[in-house]
Amino acid sequence: MPKVVEIAGDMDAAAMAELKATFETLGSTADDVVLDLAQVEFMDSSGVGGIVFLYKRLKMNGHRLSLVGAGGQPLQLLTHLRMADLIAEQRP
């Protein structure tokens, strides 16, 4: 069963500074991780960087990252950056 983590608010530089420790912990978890982005209204390069960091850490440890609930600007950004393969069709 994957670990589901809900992210609320913007994923910008200030928010990612606060989420850094959480993402580092998640990156070394013994589970797959699902980030629920339903409450994220804005994402910039810092948010993308955090997702890429987490993705690489999990992959290195043999686990997967999935994104659910992305909409609006965050979904557009992730799609534009060709990160859509991380976006799950539905919540696991």
Side-chain angles (χ1 to χ4, degrees):
M1 191 85 179
K3 182 174 188 115
V4 178
V5 179
E6 294 181 9
I7 307 292
D10 295 340
M11 288 182 74
D12 57 11
M16 294 313 296
E18 293 180 18
L19 285 171
K20 182 178 180 180
T22 300
F23 275 34
E24 287 175 354
T25 301
L26 288 171
S28 61
T29 188
D31 297 310
D32 292 346
V33 174
V34 176
L35 288 184
D36 185 342
L37 304 177
Q39 297 179 38
V40 176
E41 294 182 15
F42 175 78
M43 181 184 300
D44 66 11
S45 60
S46 298
V48 172
I51 290 171
V52 169
F53 167 83
L54 183 54
Y55 169 79
K56 287 182 176 182
R57 278 284 177 93
L58 288 168
K59 186 173 181 178
M60 184 173 65
N61 292 322
H63 299 289
R64 296 187 49 187
L65 173 65
S66 298
L67 307 175
V68 297
Q73 184 269 342
L75 178 60
Q76 289 176 342
L77 179 60
L78 294 168
T79 302
H80 179 74
L81 295 174
R82 298 183 181 181
M83 295 174 69
D85 58 329
L86 294 179
I87 300 171
E89 290 297 318
Q90 54 188 323
R91 184 175 229 171

